[in-house]
Amino acid sequence: MEQRLYIGGKFVDSAAGGVIEVFNPHDGTKLADVAEARAEDIDLAVGAAEEAFPAWSSMAAMDRGRLLLRLADAIEANAEDLAQLESLDTGHPIRDTTILDVPRTAVTFRYFGGMADKVQGSIPPVEAGFVNHVYRQPLGVVGQIVPWNFPLMFTSWKLGPALAAGNTVVFKPAELTPLSSLRIAELIDEVGFPPGVVNVLPGYGHTAGARIAEHPGIAKVSFTGSTATGRGLVEASAGNLKRLHLELGGKGANIIFADADLDAALAGSAFAIYHNQGQACIAGSRLLLQQEIADEFLDRFVSLTESIRLGDPLDRATEMGPLTSPGHRDRVLNYVKIAEDEGGEVLTGGTAPDDPALGNGCYVEPTVVRAAPGDRVCQEEVFGPFVTVSTFSSEEEAIGVANSVEYGLGGGLWTRDLSKAYRVANGMRTGMVWINCYKKVNPGSPFGGVGASGYGREMGFEAMHEYTEAKSVWINVSGGQPAWYSGA
Ligand code: NAD
């Protein structure tokens, strides 16, 4: 497959000739040498996107949608290869990339393909003698920067709404996991998107990413990544006052009330934290247990954790793969030390697996730590198979602990009491709440956070509004010169 930059409808080498080495996190072998974009390449891509914008934004919305639908079909036609590529590059188990990442990517492109001709303006009722039309217009060239945890899915979350709305895009995948984005660029080319509408440029954050952030030709940056980088983007956006959409970190609380269906809560809580090795911004990384059931639930949760099969992501029996990079594995393991230094108790895991077959990989045993809500491990995003456990006695206490972090992305609760479920969901300071389930995501439902988790929303009509600007047009239909004071 192509390993070069996709700019203006062509695959090209980077101007400076740099490469990014891409490694398999399962065994450390090299997968590819991908061209490395720097500022000069970003400038070329912005130029190509600016050139493509007038024709793309004025194309019939239904025709833009048709191209997105074709892309969704092409993803489904190449599903097996894409699943394998994503597993190789990220370490996601193939059973997950097959049933989640690839189908969800296709579904999201299809959703926004259908959405392209459904975003409408409005005609607000105004005073007699005037008609007011409000249009939704695309913004121009959009910069999109994504992290390494769900690289394939993020192509659809970002490109889908931006393109449906009529923007052109400069898209930067994370340096660690650029392969599936380049494969999507190949499919974009094959299905016939006009040159320059989508440009895909792997590159490092401090060079390529920083240029996107400050570029005066970019009208908006949609960013998914860490809160620290997000703060830097706010500063970098000042030059041309570009719009920002920030999907940042999370520290999801997963609250188990004593009256919950505990079997369902057990399975749901494992999925909440261990899916994708815990490398998910919406992971349920803080387990809050009501005192009456805490001991019993925790015993069962630890047993379940110890039964998870770690292994080669390409093996269909594998339930948990490696973390995506050695640096990240070390960071997660360091949190075990931080927990112990603060008096936390490691109930299981906390080390790399003692298995020679996994010796060169970035594996971490799934880890459960008993810790106090104020401890660093309960406050900071670990972004790995690492869950903290604490207990609570009342509904009010559970809400207080859930809200005691700077993040506010997702959170869950398990109870059979509908009124309590609503009260707690309303009390949680997050963009998303799951009741008797966890991590449900659908292209029709808004996705995003509050506080240090950022602002703006992916998905649904909200996403279309993120990528369009309201323009208000007034028409004088009075037949004469309006009075200077329209309310007269
Ligand atoms: P990161 O912020 O280091 O990197 C994310 C992206 O930003 C990468 O493409 C990187 O190259 C780029 N980048 C880095 N420095 C930059 C700079 N100075 N200017 C412009 N771009 C720059 O984050 P990460 O560690 O790779 O990803 C993990 C983080 O992403 C976690 O905090 C996680 O919670 C967050 N995340 C959030 C969501 C969400 O929807 N809220 C989803 C997934 C991941």
Side-chain angles (χ1 to χ4, degrees):
M1 57 165 280
E2 268 300 347
Q3 299 179 21
R4 293 177 293 170
L5 313 178
Y6 185 58
I7 301 177
K10 292 194 174 65
F11 286 95
V12 296
D13 287 318
S14 62
V19 293
I20 300 174
E21 294 182 302
V22 181
F23 295 97
N24 180 344
H26 163 59
D27 57 12
T29 54
K30 186 148 101 174
L31 294 171
D33 281 318
V34 164
E36 180 210 337
R38 295 197 190 151
E40 206 177 330
D41 307 292
I42 297 296
D43 290 354
L44 289 173
V46 173
E50 279 172 337
E51 208 175 305
F53 179 73
W56 179 250
S57 56
S58 54
M59 180 189 274
M62 190 179 282
D63 292 335
R64 287 200 300 267
R66 193 171 286 144
L67 281 166
L68 287 165
L69 297 176
R70 269 195 226 152
L71 179 58
D73 292 343
I75 289 166
E76 279 169 354
N78 290 276
E80 223 170 291
D81 289 353
L82 276 167
Q84 199 157 47
L85 187 65
E86 190 75 339
S87 289
L88 276 172
D89 198 8
T90 62
H92 296 197
I94 187 94
R95 63 174 213 168
D96 289 347
T97 53
T98 304
I99 63 169
L100 291 175
D101 301 54
V102 175
R104 280 186 184 178
T105 302
V107 160
T108 305
F109 274 122
R110 188 164 288 126
Y111 174 86
F112 285 110
M115 181 69 96
D117 56 0
K118 312 226 170 17
V119 171
Q120 302 176 355
S122 58
I123 306 180
V126 293
E127 56 268 43
F130 293 89
V131 173
N132 179 233
H133 287 192
V134 181
Y135 300 89
R136 300 231 52 115
Q137 296 191 312
L139 307 173
V141 178
V142 169
Q144 300 184 322
I145 302 175
V146 299
W148 42 262
N149 57 333
F150 290 104
L152 177 64
M153 269 193 334
F154 288 148
T155 62
S156 62
W157 290 31
K158 297 287 185 201
L159 294 174
L163 297 174
N167 303 281
T168 54
V169 179
V170 175
F171 181 93
K172 190 192 89 59
E175 53 273 29
L176 285 170
T177 56
L179 299 184
S180 54
S181 307
L182 287 172
R183 183 71 188 113
I184 291 293
E186 286 183 329
L187 297 179
I188 280 171
D189 202 66
E190 267 171 50
V191 303
F193 277 82
V197 168
V198 182
N199 304 274
V200 178
L201 294 91
Y204 292 100
H206 64 283
T207 50
R211 182 61 183 149
I212 291 174
E214 70 182 10
H215 202 295
I218 291 183
K220 172 183 178 120
V221 169
S222 176
F223 171 76
T224 300
S226 63
T227 299
T229 306
R231 289 200 167 102
L233 293 187
V234 174
E235 286 174 27
S237 69
N240 69 338
L241 294 176
K242 60 170 65 67
R243 287 161 154 244
L244 284 179
H245 169 199
L246 301 175
E247 294 285 355
L248 310 176
K251 191 74 184 173
N254 184 27
I255 306 170
I256 320 291
F257 285 100
D259 63 357
D261 172 344
L262 295 184
D263 292 341
L266 187 70
S269 301
F271 176 71
I273 180 62
Y274 297 135
H275 169 237
N276 197 26
Q277 292 77 257
Q279 300 167 127
C281 50
I282 52 176
S285 54
R286 290 181 295 149
L287 195 51
L288 313 189
L289 305 178
Q290 193 153 23
Q291 261 154 11
E292 296 91 304
I293 50 93
D295 289 345
E296 179 204 339
F297 190 88
L298 192 52
D299 280 352
R300 292 180 67 194
F301 188 75
V302 167
S303 303
L304 192 159
T305 299
E306 289 169 349
S307 73
I308 292 173
R309 279 191 303 270
L310 269 66
D312 183 346
L314 293 185
D315 181 343
R316 289 194 182 268
T318 292
E319 292 170 332
M320 187 181 280
L323 301 192
T324 299
S325 70
H328 188 55
R329 173 199 54 206
D330 296 346
R331 182 177 173 275
V332 171
L333 288 173
N334 189 46
Y335 269 106
V336 177
K337 193 176 166 317
I338 292 171
E340 286 172 333
D341 288 350
E342 286 187 311
E345 184 190 355
V346 177
L347 302 175
T348 187
T351 58
D354 183 19
D355 177 350
L358 309 179
N360 292 326
C362 306
Y363 291 86
V364 172
E365 291 281 4
T367 300
V368 182
V369 173
R370 197 197 304 269
D375 289 354
R376 275 183 67 190
V377 285
C378 294
Q379 293 287 320
E380 298 175 16
E381 185 183 44
V382 177
F383 217 58
F386 182 113
V387 62
T388 61
V389 185
S390 62
T391 58
F392 65 90
S393 52
S394 68
E395 201 178 304
E396 293 69 30
E397 190 187 359
I399 295 172
V401 172
N403 291 344
S404 69
V405 296
E406 63 166 345
Y407 295 109
L409 192 58
L413 64 110
W414 302 77
T415 175
R416 286 194 170 95
D417 178 340
L418 186 61
S419 309
K420 179 161 62 183
Y422 266 102
R423 282 196 302 274
V424 177
N426 284 337
M428 287 170 80
R429 196 184 51 88
T430 57
M432 293 164 285
V433 177
W434 297 280
I435 298 172
N436 295 333
C437 57
Y438 206 99
K439 274 173 80 167
K440 287 297 295 173
V441 175
N442 182 286
S445 177
F447 184 105
V450 301
S453 295
Y455 45 76
R457 292 292 180 268
E458 314 262 23
M459 309 295 199
F461 274 100
E462 276 84 354
M464 299 302 288
H465 281 192
E466 293 280 342
Y467 286 109
T468 53
E469 191 94 71
K471 177 184 263 182
S472 171
V473 176
W474 288 83
I475 310 165
N476 175 4
V477 293
S478 68
Q481 178 67 26
W484 69 271
Y485 174 49
S486 60

